[in-house]
Amino acid sequence: MEDRQNGDLLLGVAFVLFGAVVGVEALRMPYWERETFFLAPGFVPLLTGVALSLLGVVYGIRAGLAGAWQNWAGWFRDLRTNPENKRLMVLLAIVLVYTVGLVGRMGFFWATLVFHGTIFGYLRIGGWLKWLGVSIGATLFVAVLLPRLFEMPLPEIE
Amino acid sequence: MDWALVWQEWRALPGVAGEVLVSPGLLLAVLVGSVMGLIFGMLPGISAVMAMSLLVGLVFKAPVEVGLGLLIAIYVGAMASGGVTAILVNIPGTPAAAATGVDGFPMATQGRAREAIQASFSASFAGAVLGEFLTLLLLPFIAVIALKLGDWEIFLVALIGVTLAGALAGKSPLKGWLAAVFGLIIAMVGMEEIWGHPRFGYTDEMNRGFEFVPALIGLFGLSEVLQVLKQKAPYQIKGESGRIWIDFRLLYRQARNLVRSVLVAVGIGIVPGVGESAACWASYDLAKRGSKRKDSFGKGAVEGVVAAEAANSGTAGGALIPSLVFGIPGSGPTAILIAALFIYGFRPGPMLMIDEPGLVARIVVLFWLAAVGTAAGAVVLSPYFLRILSSPREILLPIAASLGVLGAWAAGFTRFDIYSMVGFGVLGFILRQRGFPLAPMVLGILVGGIADLSLRRALQTHSGDWMTMIKSPASLLLLLILFVTIGGQLRAWWTSRPKATSGN
């Protein structure tokens, strides 16, 4: 069973760091002179960056008070061994390969067919005939029928 | 008060209704949308927002009314059918149907599934019709008042929206506020309007900023796909619906409960970003307090089903008010409607009723038509609910993911939009895992630009004097609402803070 507080603490730290980066970047934007101070492009990003960091501090402290300082080994073990996390990582990898690796590097139809074939295979939707039929049918729907219906151009090969 | 503007939409109603009713293409779009909404709403893992966000990038080629009609009908259909899953499986088909299952599922286990589903659809139908009627009455007044608001007031309305959404959309106000501020930061990316300076413009695409549609698809679509597919567990279906009808006798018997729920729903819907998920619980709670049979709640009380379902469908009306009047969405689905309006060249905001006379009446008529289409669709489809519920998620959700890629691409025809959709999907998934509500983040993304511009303009106009904020009665009132909201939530949060747990 995953201990929620450890993850909350990590997320709190991430919020604080991200807010700080936003604040620093906002200060590097121009027009911070006296007469244009409130109109400066970085004015609102600075406020929001500071707000995110402050809220992140409260969030992290809250997690810490609830016991987030303990049991890191158990938390990492759960992260590594939980079957749902493993399944998630594989699904995420398939989505990333499709969107970042295939779309734009091969025709959209073929990229989508590879995606559908891989993910339906991983999810074991049925025998090979069903797998093939559903993969091709879904790809025809997404990559051929809909784009034609809405007259939209598809991602081209770069 | 500009009464001519108030009358304008009421007067336009009969003409608009006549036009809509003689447009076969539009009627077909609403019917198709209603059926799609009914099916999507029933499937756990595909919510109204997800279905709408997947389609919004695609419908821009369709005529305005057909596109809007389709999206509105999906919204109304999904709101109505989310209750079926809650009743038969005890998993809400949409987050807004969570309260429906509290009494609906016990009814199904007692062999009263058909009664529960019939009550659910009847209440949804009445909730949608009444909610939109109230909207048509209220919206013109609020729009006329909104025309008189200055930069300070607009900024405060945006801030109240973000604060309230953060506080009420989830269980923890802190998480809601973190999500909302994160959304505001995302809205800062891109060219700012006063100097034309590219903020965080690390790439050419980031100079343009993040498109709203890919962000929506990622946050509500891809994150949901990952969330559902990572679990292997199948679900058990209790009972069967059989043929259902809209039960007008039940609606008559439950009239008081129904009207009270819709009033609460419209009131909550007006609060930007809060939406159906909060309204259904508030109405359920009030129905329980007002009932003579309080003990039966949670054990199969039909009043509970009616209150929850009337509320989640009635919220749509209230949520339209801030969406159309300020351009600040009242709920997730109305955020997508705003995106669709922008795609079609409308600018939701105080000037909308002046720029587009009759549009509000048209949208209300489309909602009514969608309510009728959904009721008709439910009657026809009800014997097949069991089969629809048994549809394999392992096939539907990967198709939803590839549809999301297509929808993100259609937003701007750049691969950056696909990448940002995936990025928002992963971010949304992580935040959901930690119990963060996503609606405040969407609200932050949407109102960030308005809040930024109005704050800086107000400060510059008044030479940086923050005290001018309290010089107009309207901004003073808004400021008071803001402080009461923050104060109340901080108090509630502090009293419910977690205690240290040893050894885990």
Side-chain angles (χ1 to χ4, degrees):
Chain A
M1 179 72 192
E2 188 198 352
D3 186 350
R4 292 192 69 84
Q5 308 303 340
N6 298 88
D8 283 349
L9 181 62
L10 282 182
L11 201 55
V13 171
F15 280 133
V16 173
L17 292 177
F18 185 65
V21 169
V22 169
V24 169
E25 284 291 300
L27 285 171
R28 288 169 58 186
M29 290 174 195
Y31 307 111
W32 280 112
E33 294 80 21
R34 188 180 168 83
E35 57 276 13
T36 56
F37 185 83
F38 294 114
L39 278 180
F43 182 66
V44 177
L46 178 64
L47 293 182
T48 48
V50 170
L52 189 73
S53 284
L54 289 177
L55 290 168
V57 167
V58 179
Y59 187 68
I61 289 176
R62 208 170 130 89
L65 288 176
W69 307 109
Q70 307 155 32
N71 199 22
W72 282 100
W75 186 76
F76 278 113
R77 191 175 51 244
D78 182 65
L79 205 63
R80 267 199 332 269
T81 55
N82 188 326
E84 283 195 354
N85 288 345
K86 285 183 181 171
R87 200 171 152 91
L88 172 72
M89 286 301 141
V90 174
L91 290 169
L92 201 55
I94 295 172
V95 170
L96 282 174
V97 167
Y98 172 47
T99 51
V100 182
L102 300 182
V103 173
R105 290 189 171 79
M106 60 168 71
F108 188 69
F109 176 86
W110 295 108
T112 307
L113 184 63
V114 171
F115 168 70
H116 282 148
T118 313
I119 201 161
F120 289 141
Y122 175 68
L123 294 171
R124 294 184 185 165
I125 59 164
W128 73 269
L129 206 60
K130 184 178 179 185
W131 167 78
L132 193 66
V134 172
S135 299
I136 293 173
T139 306
L140 285 172
F141 174 67
V142 174
V144 178
L145 183 69
L146 282 179
R148 290 219 176 144
L149 196 65
F150 293 106
E151 297 171 14
M152 62 193 290
L154 290 170
E156 286 173 6
I157 303 169
E158 283 183 356
Chain B
M1 177 71 74
D2 185 350
W3 286 102
L5 206 55
V6 174
W7 278 107
Q8 170 188 294
E9 299 301 314
W10 298 343
R11 260 205 323 259
L13 190 69
V16 167
E19 274 176 39
V20 166
L21 287 174
V22 295
S23 166
L26 180 55
L27 292 176
L28 185 67
V30 170
L31 196 64
V32 169
S34 301
V35 171
M36 284 170 74
L38 281 167
I39 294 171
F40 288 147
M42 251 183 272
L43 298 171
I46 301 188
S47 62
V49 189
M50 180 181 175
M52 290 171 74
S53 59
L54 290 174
L55 272 176
V56 71
L58 304 176
V59 296
F60 71 102
K61 281 276 184 182
V64 183
E65 287 193 340
V66 172
L68 286 180
L70 191 71
L71 290 172
I72 287 171
I74 291 174
Y75 180 13
V76 175
M79 279 300 122
S81 68
V84 176
T85 327
I87 291 165
L88 293 180
V89 192
N90 204 21
I91 301 171
T94 59
T100 311
V102 177
D103 280 292
F105 186 65
M107 284 176 81
T109 51
Q110 292 159 16
R112 296 159 61 204
R114 184 177 171 273
E115 182 193 346
I117 291 173
Q118 187 157 288
S120 161
F121 272 105
S122 304
S124 279
F125 173 74
V129 173
L130 279 176
E132 291 306 323
F133 176 72
L134 280 175
T135 301
L136 191 63
L137 284 183
L138 289 175
L139 194 144
F141 284 107
I142 297 175
V144 170
I145 293 167
L147 279 171
K148 298 184 192 308
L149 301 182
D151 281 328
W152 273 132
E153 290 85 358
I154 297 281
F155 168 67
L156 284 169
V157 168
L159 201 59
I160 288 172
V162 168
T163 315
L164 268 176
L168 301 179
K171 287 176 185 161
S172 153
L174 182 62
K175 287 180 178 176
W177 289 335
L178 273 163
V181 173
F182 206 100
L184 288 174
I185 291 174
I186 289 164
M188 298 297 117
V189 177
M191 202 71 77
E192 58 91 43
E193 288 188 38
I194 293 179
W195 300 97
H197 178 76
R199 289 164 167 163
F200 309 104
Y202 305 118
T203 64
D204 288 346
E205 291 92 346
M206 284 183 83
N207 280 342
R208 185 202 66 181
F210 289 109
E211 284 279 347
F212 186 56
V213 172
L216 268 177
I217 296 175
L219 287 171
F220 288 115
L222 188 62
S223 75
E224 186 85 38
V225 169
L226 294 173
Q227 173 77 24
V228 176
L229 284 184
K230 88 180 179 103
Q231 299 156 349
K232 255 182 147 173
Y235 44 81
Q236 281 194 327
I237 301 170
K238 293 269 182 193
E240 207 172 334
S241 65
R243 173 87 63 198
I244 61 139
W245 302 94
I246 299 302
D247 188 348
F248 288 99
R249 274 183 297 190
L250 173 81
L251 295 180
Y252 179 72
R253 283 201 305 277
Q254 293 284 328
R256 201 172 153 189
N257 183 13
L258 204 66
V259 171
R260 180 179 51 211
S261 301
V262 173
L263 285 173
V264 170
V266 172
I268 290 180
I270 291 174
V271 180
V274 179
E276 306 83 11
S277 310
C280 64
W281 287 111
S283 296
Y284 180 84
D285 187 51
L286 277 178
K288 188 177 175 182
R289 285 167 197 249
S291 172
K292 288 174 187 161
R293 301 184 301 132
K294 290 186 184 62
D295 292 347
S296 65
F297 274 73
K299 296 171 190 160
V302 77
E303 295 104 301
V305 174
V306 169
E309 281 300 311
N312 70 30
S313 292
T315 314
L320 267 185
I321 294 175
S323 309
L324 297 181
V325 172
F326 296 108
I328 298 173
S331 62
T334 47
I336 296 164
L337 283 183
I338 291 181
L341 286 172
F342 273 113
I343 287 172
Y344 281 122
F346 301 116
R347 287 191 69 83
M351 297 297 288
L352 185 71
M353 271 180 27
I354 295 173
D355 294 341
E356 302 292 338
L359 182 69
V360 171
R362 199 167 291 267
I363 289 175
V364 168
V365 168
L366 287 176
F367 265 96
W368 280 337
L369 198 63
V372 175
T374 297
V379 170
V380 175
L381 283 180
S382 53
Y384 308 102
F385 281 169
L386 202 64
R387 203 174 295 174
I388 295 169
L389 268 176
S390 310
S391 308
R393 292 182 291 179
E394 295 79 7
I395 292 178
L396 292 174
L397 291 176
I399 297 175
S402 51
L403 266 178
V405 171
L406 194 67
W409 164 258
F413 300 114
T414 68
R415 278 169 60 191
F416 176 75
D417 289 327
I418 299 177
Y419 300 154
S420 62
M421 185 275 286
V422 176
F424 279 109
V426 174
L427 177 68
F429 173 81
I430 294 170
L431 293 180
R432 286 162 63 115
Q433 286 292 102
R434 314 305 317 170
F436 283 77
L438 296 181
M441 182 185 279
V442 171
L443 186 69
I445 297 173
L446 210 65
V447 305
I450 304 168
D452 168 41
L453 200 61
S454 51
L455 172 66
R456 288 192 293 150
R457 250 187 346 218
L459 280 170
Q460 190 65 17
T461 310
H462 300 290
S463 313
D465 184 2
W466 290 83
M467 294 309 285
T468 51
M469 197 192 289
I470 56 171
K471 284 190 177 159
S472 97
S475 53
L476 197 62
L477 178 71
L478 290 168
L479 213 54
L480 193 71
I481 295 171
L482 185 67
F483 284 133
V484 169
T485 311
I486 296 175
Q489 288 305 317
L490 280 179
R491 204 175 137 205
W493 169 70
W494 185 251
T495 50
S496 68
R497 69 193 190 280
K499 307 285 181 285
T501 50
S502 58
N504 66 1

